[in-house]
Amino acid sequence: MKAEKSLQKVTKSEININKILSLKQITRSDLETLSETEKARLNEVIDERFRNLEGEEHDSFCEKIWPITSPIIKNQLWEYNHNRITATTATLMQEYGRMPSKSEIAVKTKLSRQTIHKHFQEYSNHPQYLGQIDQFKFLTSKVLAKVYYFAVNGDMSAAKLYFKMMGCMDNEQATGGTLIQNQNNFIQINGTVLSQDTIKHLNTEQLNTIEGILKIALPQAEVLEVRQS
């Protein structure tokens, strides 16, 4: 008799759980009819289905349980999808030598094409993505310190990058208020433009004067670079 009563209780609990799972969308008010034991069992079923479903079935199930999903789990799901999509896109680009299609990414990640499309459309405004960007910005000072280290130890490329990062190059004011513009085919110092055509029309004495100034102001390696350009 006791066994039959126990079986009846389990059966009733399963009926209650299945009734909840049959809803198009589960809300927190729907859970009020369940006992604590039934709620625990429902969470187990939800977790199992969440891990095993793929593609559109996974999307539909996520939509069903979205109102009762905690913000932490929602953020974890977004991070999981983002990392999976990012890694798969990078891998397929290496393999195919081109940008993979959304369908190809969907097959590889086992996410639906709709999820891939939605993620690409919305990721840049998602709080989790913006948080990742802030993390990269937080590391800027560490990268800048590394660039400075190489610059003071004689790496001229690092020195140029350091000055550029600090706003001393590319149309920024350099020391003493002198504006120096470094373009692809000319140098502008305040209002004076020094281009290849200008240099061609200079006589030997004028060129020697400019070279003498550069030797004083710049390291020898950069003077050679200017003469060869």
Side-chain angles (χ1 to χ4, degrees):
M1 182 68 67
K2 289 183 179 180
E4 289 181 0
K5 287 183 179 180
S6 176
L7 182 61
Q8 288 176 353
K9 289 182 180 178
V10 172
T11 303
K12 184 178 179 181
S13 294
E14 293 297 330
I15 291 173
N16 290 338
I17 292 170
N18 289 334
K19 182 179 179 181
I20 296 295
L21 291 172
S22 67
L23 297 173
K24 185 175 181 180
Q25 195 169 60
I26 304 172
T27 65
R28 295 200 176 275
S29 61
D30 296 322
L31 305 181
E32 293 176 358
T33 59
L34 300 179
S35 67
E36 293 303 316
T37 302
E38 290 170 339
K39 289 178 181 178
R41 176 55 186 159
L42 176 63
N43 286 334
E44 291 177 358
V45 175
I46 287 175
D47 181 65
E48 182 180 356
R49 293 191 183 184
F50 185 81
R51 287 186 286 105
N52 293 328
L53 293 175
E54 298 176 358
E56 293 182 2
E57 289 184 337
H58 187 272
D59 287 354
S60 297
F61 189 71
C62 284
E63 185 177 348
K64 178 193 294 286
I65 65 172
W66 203 248
I68 62 171
T69 304
S70 69
I72 294 177
I73 298 299
K74 289 178 180 179
N75 287 336
Q76 289 176 346
L77 176 61
W78 186 92
E79 287 181 343
Y80 174 78
N81 286 347
H82 183 73
N83 293 336
R84 201 169 180 179
I85 292 170
T86 301
T88 299
T89 302
T91 300
L92 292 180
M93 285 185 69
Q94 289 285 339
E95 184 178 341
Y96 298 156
R98 59 170 173 79
M99 179 62 70
S101 67
K102 294 180 180 64
S103 296
E104 290 168 335
I105 297 172
V107 170
K108 196 74 171 179
T109 59
K110 296 182 180 180
L111 300 172
S112 71
R113 192 181 185 284
Q114 289 79 6
T115 294
I116 305 296
H117 179 73
K118 183 179 179 181
H119 193 85
F120 279 133
Q121 277 194 323
E122 301 177 356
Y123 81 93
S124 61
N125 294 320
H126 196 281
Q128 291 297 106
Y129 175 77
L130 297 177
Q132 290 181 353
I133 296 300
D134 286 336
Q135 285 180 281
F136 280 112
K137 289 180 179 179
F138 179 77
L139 296 173
T140 300
S141 59
K142 185 175 181 63
V143 176
L144 184 59
K146 201 70 170 179
V147 173
Y148 173 81
Y149 171 82
F150 285 112
V152 297
N153 282 280
D155 189 327
M156 296 311 302
S157 296
K160 289 179 181 178
L161 178 58
Y162 178 81
F163 285 128
K164 186 172 184 178
M165 293 171 70
M166 296 304 295
C168 298
M169 294 176 65
D170 288 345
N171 301 335
E172 297 290 340
Q173 292 292 334
T175 304
T178 300
L179 180 65
I180 300 177
Q181 292 182 322
N182 186 4
Q183 303 292 340
N184 292 331
N185 58 353
F186 68 89
I187 298 174
Q188 181 174 335
I189 304 176
N190 290 333
T192 303
V193 176
L194 182 63
S195 65
Q196 289 287 346
D197 289 337
T198 305
I199 293 174
K200 290 177 182 178
H201 290 87
L202 296 178
N203 57 42
T204 303
E205 183 179 353
Q206 291 170 325
L207 289 172
N208 289 338
T209 300
I210 293 175
E211 184 177 354
I213 295 172
L214 291 176
K215 283 182 178 180
I216 296 173
L218 300 175
Q220 188 63 27
E222 292 198 12
V223 175
L224 291 175
E225 182 181 337
V226 172
R227 294 182 64 184
Q228 293 172 358
S229 62

